[in-house]
Amino acid sequence: MEKLRKLSPFRLDSLLRLQKDPKLALQIFLNPNERSVPNPKPFRYSLRSYDIIITKLGGAKMFDEMERVVQKLKQETRFVPKEIIFCNVITFYGRARLPNLALRTFDQMPSFGCQRTVKSVNTLLNALLACREFEKMGEVFVGIEEHAAPDACTYNILINACCRCNDLGGAWNVFDEMLKKRIRPNVVTFGTLINGLCVNFKLSEALRLKEDMERVFRVKPNGFVYSSLIKGLCKADELNLAFKVKDEMLKRRLEFDLSVYPSLISALFKVGRKGDVNGLLEEIKQNGCKPDIMTYNAMIYGFCQDENFDAAFGILSEMENKGCKPDIISYNVIIGGLCRVRNLTEANDLFEDMPRRKCAPDVVTYRILFDGLHDGMQLKEASLILDEMIFKGYSPHAASVMRFVDRVCQGDNLKLMRTVLNSLGSGNLIDADTWRMVVPVVCKIDRLSIAYKLVDTLVIQ
């Protein structure tokens, strides 16, 4: 039998990089030469191998296994781990909303002989921002001088945190401190501030800051700055100004940003200028792009708001013909619009046709149709949707259930009531309020045998 070749560190790097299954990659990493010789010597891992396996395990959220590898890294004496490895670990914990583990990783870095710099500090701040741990961010920033001087990225993260808290005063204070320390703001700084101002409808300040970034700081606005302004102006119904900013963006030949067009289309429908939508679609094509799913969904929403459902269905057909598959939002918007105008038959038909269209209804679809049916007093049909929804593991809104049960009780239909109670019971959705609504109705109806059965149903469930 041919003797198996001993695996080299370089070959291990290649195998780990090619292995897509993180569990198999870990097995290879931990036992690189298990079968090659009877008593293999300790394997000389490369730093690259550690980097690859930690990245794979962190990406798969296999955090216990990742920590095992990180602790194994502490035993290495031939090299000192690079800061980027710990930055990656901190980032994985931030994405998983595990702020305490991110902080622990940062605190443990010196025990590995790894010096912390502003790069790992910024990574930690970003992870805490993702977890909305704003107080802990402040604590980290207060002690930042122990590790490194803050840079533009540090202040950008802090400004972003203030904007997410709607603390525009705090954001401006951070910006002022940045200038006092002679740290030059960049396009990310201005983009974050402008977006925060637009979200809070401070549009005059946002436009003025956009002018200052060019005139005073000599920083050119990017697509994100223009996109934030356009979306903010559309929400504030400043449509003419939004189009002016959009035209300026196109004139400057920045990277074409499709994301502004749904906002512009929605604004046009809102002010009754849906005839101008075709011009926007033509503009998209002239820039070498195709309308995306968000653009089409904005049109569907606009037509549904206008109760022009033929046009909304026409958009669905156009999407399919042009290779842009409608998503669940496309269908939910139309079903919601049909329910709003009490066109329940067509709403239910589209709901039942969704699997054929290769788009399965989700919990929102069921809730929309359930609410529409019982609001339209189609109680039997609503009970069927309720039963199917609960069977699939979806839960209706509690307030919707209460309204529905109340309507069933008003109809004095004991058979339907029992069906509804069975469905709610199977999903463990019968509470004390349901008892209070159902029992008086049962007791006032002179059909005691059926009444007892209903009470038994409640007790069993």
Side-chain angles (χ1 to χ4, degrees):
M1 183 175 178
E2 184 181 351
K3 186 178 179 180
L4 294 173
R5 293 176 57 190
K6 188 176 179 180
L7 200 64
S8 69
F10 178 78
R11 179 60 179 155
L12 176 62
D13 293 353
S14 299
L15 288 175
L16 292 175
R17 193 180 296 108
L18 294 172
Q19 180 54 251
K20 298 187 181 300
D21 186 336
K23 292 182 180 179
L24 289 177
L26 178 62
Q27 186 176 348
I28 294 170
F29 176 83
L30 295 175
N31 307 287
N33 279 325
E34 187 177 39
R35 298 172 56 204
S36 61
V37 290
N39 297 302
K41 295 180 181 180
F43 191 83
R44 297 172 65 88
Y45 291 96
S46 70
L47 185 57
R48 181 61 177 156
S49 290
Y50 279 101
D51 188 19
I52 294 170
I53 191 61
I54 287 171
T55 300
K56 285 184 178 291
L57 295 173
K61 296 186 178 180
M62 296 171 61
F63 296 129
D64 289 341
E65 293 84 351
M66 182 180 73
E67 280 294 334
R68 180 182 172 189
V69 173
V70 171
Q71 293 308 312
K72 183 177 175 64
L73 182 59
K74 188 181 286 188
Q75 300 168 10
E76 293 288 348
T77 57
R78 292 174 297 106
F79 51 75
V80 174
K82 292 185 178 179
E83 187 179 23
I84 185 61
I85 290 180
F86 297 100
C87 289
N88 289 337
V89 172
I90 291 169
T91 299
F92 288 132
Y93 283 138
R95 290 174 184 169
R97 306 297 187 264
L98 297 169
N100 291 333
L101 294 181
L103 280 163
R104 188 188 71 181
T105 301
F106 180 79
D107 291 338
Q108 288 180 344
M109 286 175 63
S111 68
F112 289 81
C114 182
Q115 183 179 357
R116 293 172 291 189
T117 71
V118 70
K119 185 171 185 177
S120 52
V121 174
N122 289 344
T123 302
L124 178 61
L125 287 172
N126 223 15
L128 294 174
L129 175 60
C131 301
R132 302 188 70 82
E133 293 284 352
F134 302 116
E135 187 174 336
K136 290 180 180 177
M137 288 181 69
E139 294 171 4
V140 171
F141 181 70
V142 167
I144 192 174
E145 299 290 350
E146 298 176 13
H147 315 294
D151 60 7
C153 181
T154 312
Y155 284 103
N156 290 344
I157 296 168
L158 295 174
I159 290 171
N160 194 3
C162 292
C163 290
R164 289 196 187 186
C165 296
N166 293 321
D167 181 12
L168 294 180
W172 281 118
N173 289 337
V174 174
F175 181 74
D176 290 339
E177 181 180 339
M178 188 177 185
L179 297 181
K180 286 178 184 177
K181 292 197 173 184
R182 299 182 180 278
I183 296 174
R184 181 177 172 78
N186 55 30
V187 69
V188 176
T189 314
F190 291 107
T192 305
L193 272 170
I194 288 171
N195 185 64
L197 291 168
C198 290
V199 168
N200 287 275
F201 294 95
K202 303 284 186 180
L203 298 169
S204 296
E205 292 180 45
L207 289 166
R208 188 161 55 249
L209 182 58
K210 183 252 183 188
E211 295 300 321
D212 286 345
M213 71 181 286
E214 293 188 83
R215 182 174 51 84
V216 179
F217 296 95
R218 299 289 188 266
V219 177
K220 291 184 178 181
N222 61 5
F224 179 74
V225 170
Y226 280 104
S227 175
S228 298
L229 287 168
I230 293 168
K231 292 173 183 178
L233 291 166
C234 286
K235 287 181 180 178
D237 294 333
E238 295 282 355
L239 197 50
N240 291 334
L241 192 51
F243 271 88
K244 182 179 178 182
V245 173
K246 185 264 299 178
D247 291 340
E248 181 183 318
M249 180 182 71
L250 294 178
K251 186 177 180 181
R252 291 194 168 194
R253 299 186 180 279
L254 296 173
E255 184 177 350
F256 190 71
D257 188 359
L258 263 177
S259 70
V260 302
Y261 286 86
S263 297
L264 290 166
I265 288 170
S266 296
L268 286 173
F269 272 101
K270 187 177 179 180
V271 299
R273 289 172 53 186
K274 56 180 175 287
D276 294 336
V277 170
N278 288 333
L280 287 178
L281 296 178
E282 188 60 34
E283 186 173 272
I284 292 173
K285 296 174 185 176
Q286 288 175 358
N287 282 277
C289 296
K290 295 180 180 179
D292 62 2
I293 188 70
M294 292 188 294
T295 304
Y296 280 120
N297 282 345
M299 296 174 66
I300 289 172
Y301 179 80
F303 283 125
C304 287
Q305 289 297 107
D306 282 355
E307 299 180 12
N308 187 349
F309 296 104
D310 287 340
F313 277 105
I315 296 296
L316 279 185
S317 300
E318 181 179 339
M319 291 170 72
E320 292 170 347
N321 292 336
K322 295 191 175 180
C324 183
K325 186 178 181 294
D327 63 5
I328 191 66
I329 296 174
S330 314
Y331 293 103
N332 286 348
V333 168
I334 296 179
I335 291 172
L338 291 168
C339 288
R340 189 178 64 253
V341 299
R342 295 290 187 268
N343 192 342
L344 301 174
T345 300
E346 197 165 356
N348 194 56
D349 287 345
L350 180 57
F351 169 81
E352 292 180 352
D353 197 39
M354 285 177 65
R356 184 188 66 80
R357 294 170 178 258
K358 297 181 180 180
C359 185
D362 66 357
V363 61
V364 177
T365 320
Y366 278 100
R367 286 175 175 175
I368 291 171
L369 187 57
F370 172 65
D371 288 351
L373 288 170
H374 74 73
D375 285 343
M377 298 309 294
Q378 293 192 15
L379 303 183
K380 184 177 179 181
E381 291 79 2
S383 72
L384 295 174
I385 293 296
L386 176 66
D387 187 63
E388 184 178 333
M389 179 180 359
I390 294 172
F391 176 77
K392 291 197 172 184
Y394 299 142
S395 295
H397 288 300
S400 297
V401 171
M402 296 305 296
R403 290 199 310 273
F404 177 52
V405 171
D406 181 54
R407 284 168 177 146
V408 172
C409 289
Q410 291 177 23
D412 292 345
N413 187 332
L414 290 174
K415 183 178 179 181
L416 179 59
M417 188 182 295
R418 186 171 186 181
T419 299
V420 171
L421 292 174
N422 279 327
S423 296
L424 293 174
S426 67
N428 196 27
L429 297 173
I430 296 178
D431 56 16
D433 290 330
T434 310
W435 278 89
R436 281 191 285 269
M437 295 176 75
V438 172
V439 170
V441 176
V442 171
C443 292
K444 81 175 184 178
I445 299 175
D446 189 20
R447 293 173 67 183
L448 293 180
S449 62
I450 298 178
Y452 288 139
K453 289 180 181 178
L454 279 170
V455 174
D456 286 344
T457 299
L458 280 168
V459 171
I460 291 169
Q461 302 295 353

